[in-house]
Amino acid sequence: MVVDRRLWALPAVLLALLLPAAGCSGAPEAGSGSSGAPAAGESAAGGTAPVRARVCAAPVPGPATAPAGAVTVDPAVVGDLAAKTTRSPAGTVFWLRPGVHRLLPDRYAQVVPKEGNRYLGAPGAVLDGRRTNQYAFGGDARDVTLRHLTVRGFVAPHNEGVVNHDSADGWVVEHNVIEDNSGAGLMAGARQRVRANCLRGNGQYGLNAYKDGRGGAAVTGLLLEGNEITANNRDDWERRRPGCGCSGGVKFWAVDGADVRGNWVHDNRGAGLWADTNNNDFRIEDNVLESNDGAALIYETSYNAVIRHNTVRRNNWVEGHRHADRGDTFPFATVYLSESGGEPRIPARTDRIEVYRNVLEDNWSGITLWENADRFCNSPANTSSGACTLLVADVARCAAPAIERAPLFSDCRWKTQRVEVHDNRFLLDKSVVECTVKCDRMAVLANYGTYPDWSPYHGEGVAEAITRTQGNRWYDNAYEGPWKFVVHDPSQVLEFGQWQGLPYRQDAGSTFVARAGG
């Protein structure tokens, strides 16, 4: 790849994302069609970037001998891990010998850790649910550590998870292979650290960051760093339950404060990363997001995020083709910001959504900013059933006639506002994507409001606001390829000069170059 120096001097970490590292075990050869994973190095955000995220091919092995004072777990004894956990005090270290460890043959048999327990796998240590047990590790114990284990063959139900099933807080999950399970491979609690794991081939998600809110709890302070997240949603939940919004590599629900960095998220069925409903304060940086069937990233009905220094390539081909083939004119994008924006009244490390210094190459379309005029608190069209914005505590307040006046007229909506898209590089070769139409879109738009009959958002008001008055700006980007720009509604498709001109005045300082194959 030739680096375009006309735009900026790329930081070292982004060059490492773009180019396979020399001498890397398993790195693709030139022309192989494979791509490099993130590399270690200096993070553009400061500090040290995570270790190489190509972890599924070569997981870091655990200790070959038991650490001093550890309880040894015997794979020859069925249920030994759960039984010894029950008999041992909180804070015990367990070392699992090499071999396949099994739980008792009951679907609810699982390991229930005590606070501060640590579970370390020897090289070759596997915990196998044998398609019988639903959960591997559950319970409410805090500050549990899980390292160097392979966890496979568990059958968690839909929307539930195998590891940290009850979303306990403070868990550290590092250097594990969590694969071939039903449901989610891993759940997340507050202050959870998920580093350098292989989350592969799970039936619904690699990770489901969700907490049911018991006692007012929420997922806060989540770190997802240096993981390989691949081939998840094996059970194809969007086809089994159309419109469920319940699939992909990772799903985040109502997470307040997350750092998602240095991960390799690839070849998942559906979206790669999907933040859905009242997430806030995300930093999504230094990731490689590629070859996911759907969008690389969806940020939906959420707030305040920085999305920077990511390499995003060859995403959304499957779902993009599917929608185009059935005549859908909506600009389905690879980075999709749906009813999401910056909100200064909600505390975070930023008060906007900023998308910058990313490289998007040969995806099905680029970035879409969307706002559904009919989706708001208390509307039957709100797919986040029962949820309201973070500005209104009681969803019932968002009803006529009060919703027709300030502050509820504004605060009952999730708004796509204060979004800045700048200093990115957008490359598109339609011959690579194998499309002729509809894969070349950048968009900011809404629908014509019609529903329900008491909604105060009927007509073009929302479309006018997202397009012109809510502070959504593109600038200082570089485009290569036959890009089109959709504004206001799907029927208005502009050329670059029209996009830059009156009345839209977008992409000031940006460059546009058509290229062969476009």
Side-chain angles (χ1 to χ4, degrees):
M1 176 177 292
V2 177
V3 178
D4 186 352
R5 292 179 174 82
R6 295 172 299 172
L7 182 57
W8 71 80
L10 286 170
V13 67
L14 185 51
L15 285 173
L17 290 169
L18 289 168
L19 302 175
C24 171
S25 175
E29 297 178 359
S32 68
S34 299
S35 56
E42 181 69 15
S43 169
T48 302
V51 296
R52 180 170 300 278
R54 187 183 292 278
V55 293
C56 292
V60 174
T65 58
V71 172
T72 297
V73 181
D74 187 352
V77 179
V78 174
D80 196 39
L81 179 59
K84 286 179 175 174
T85 295
T86 299
R87 295 197 300 264
S88 302
T92 297
V93 177
F94 300 88
W95 179 71
L96 284 71
R97 290 183 181 274
V100 178
H101 296 254
R102 296 164 292 165
L103 301 174
L104 295 176
D106 179 273
R107 64 176 177 168
Y108 296 118
Q110 59 184 291
V111 181
V112 182
K114 297 173 182 174
E115 185 171 342
N117 280 4
R118 297 170 59 202
Y119 297 88
L120 309 177
V126 176
L127 182 59
D128 193 339
R130 297 172 295 161
R131 316 307 300 176
T132 298
N133 309 115
Q134 291 187 348
Y135 317 119
F137 294 88
D140 296 324
R142 296 171 176 258
D143 303 327
V144 172
T145 297
L146 197 73
R147 291 192 177 106
H148 306 296
L149 284 173
T150 293
V151 180
R152 71 186 186 200
F154 289 81
V155 286
H158 180 250
N159 287 338
E160 298 186 37
V162 169
V163 174
N164 196 9
H165 165 259
D166 297 293
S167 302
D169 295 340
W171 283 40
V172 176
V173 183
E174 296 178 328
H175 302 298
N176 302 286
V177 176
I178 303 174
E179 63 181 356
D180 297 330
N181 303 287
S182 298
L186 173 64
M187 301 294 287
R191 299 178 290 101
Q192 185 151 309
R193 302 290 181 259
V194 182
R195 295 190 184 98
N197 301 281
C198 171
L199 306 178
R200 175 172 60 189
N202 296 289
Q204 189 177 2
Y205 307 113
L207 168 66
N208 186 12
Y210 168 75
K211 202 174 179 73
D212 67 7
R214 289 173 294 175
V219 177
T220 59
L222 176 64
L223 174 65
L224 186 63
E225 180 178 45
N227 303 280
E228 183 174 351
I229 303 164
T230 181
N232 296 291
N233 189 29
R234 183 192 60 222
D235 294 335
D236 200 2
W237 278 100
E238 300 296 331
R239 189 174 295 274
R240 295 172 66 174
R241 298 188 183 182
C244 72
C246 60
S247 63
V250 179
K251 194 75 183 278
F252 305 91
W253 306 86
V255 175
D256 189 4
D259 290 282
V260 182
R261 61 183 181 233
N263 303 285
W264 186 20
V265 184
H266 66 100
D267 296 285
N268 294 284
R269 178 176 283 163
L273 303 174
W274 190 344
D276 187 355
T277 309
N278 288 340
N279 298 278
N280 176 50
D281 194 15
F282 271 53
R283 286 188 176 177
I284 301 170
E285 57 191 359
D286 298 330
N287 302 285
V288 171
L289 311 175
E290 65 180 334
S291 301
N292 298 289
D293 286 0
L297 170 63
I298 301 174
Y299 204 70
E300 180 178 0
T301 53
S302 294
Y303 302 90
N304 300 328
V306 172
I307 302 165
R308 63 186 177 187
H309 300 153
N310 301 286
T311 296
V312 184
R313 53 195 173 201
R314 297 190 297 276
N315 296 281
N316 206 26
W317 289 11
V318 173
E319 293 189 8
H321 274 289
R322 183 183 301 147
H323 290 296
D325 290 347
R326 69 188 189 197
D328 199 325
T329 60
F330 187 84
F332 290 94
T334 284
V335 175
Y336 182 33
L337 305 181
S338 175
E339 293 95 14
S340 293
E343 178 48 75
R345 290 174 291 173
I346 298 173
R349 291 167 287 182
T350 182
D351 62 2
R352 66 198 65 219
I353 292 181
E354 195 170 9
V355 185
Y356 68 94
R357 290 204 172 182
N358 303 284
V359 175
L360 282 76
E361 180 175 11
D362 292 334
N363 302 285
W364 187 282
S365 287
I367 297 175
T368 287
L369 276 56
W370 161 254
E371 195 170 326
N372 182 348
D374 299 328
R375 186 179 188 184
F376 55 92
C377 300
N378 213 21
S379 168
N382 178 21
T383 55
S384 300
S385 179
C388 198
T389 70
L390 293 179
L391 300 172
V392 180
D394 182 3
V395 67
R397 295 181 62 207
C398 296
I403 194 174
E404 299 169 7
R405 301 184 298 272
L408 294 180
F409 180 82
S410 177
D411 291 352
C412 288
R413 293 196 62 80
W414 290 273
K415 291 183 179 179
T416 304
Q417 64 179 7
R418 300 172 60 86
V419 178
E420 297 188 1
V421 180
H422 65 92
D423 292 291
N424 302 286
R425 191 167 180 227
F426 301 108
L427 304 99
L428 176 64
D429 184 336
K430 285 187 176 180
S431 67
V432 173
V433 183
E434 297 183 352
C435 76
T436 56
V437 294
K438 301 178 183 174
C439 65
D440 52 6
R441 307 299 166 93
M442 204 75 59
V444 53
L445 77 165
N447 59 319
Y448 188 92
T450 62
Y451 181 78
D453 58 6
W454 55 268
S455 167
Y457 312 111
H458 287 182
E460 296 184 347
V462 173
E464 285 292 310
I466 188 175
T467 305
R468 301 197 189 193
T469 65
Q470 289 182 178
N472 299 315
R473 300 173 56 223
W474 275 255
Y475 58 93
D476 293 339
N477 298 295
Y479 297 89
E480 295 185 26
W483 292 98
K484 309 291 186 186
F485 302 85
V486 182
V487 297
H488 191 275
D489 63 79
S491 70
Q492 300 194 46
V493 183
L494 310 180
E495 301 295 333
F496 184 64
Q498 297 171 299
W499 170 249
Q500 282 193 313
L502 292 171
Y504 305 109
R505 294 186 176 182
Q506 291 288 5
D507 263 320
S510 298
T511 62
F512 182 91
V513 179
R515 67 178 188 178

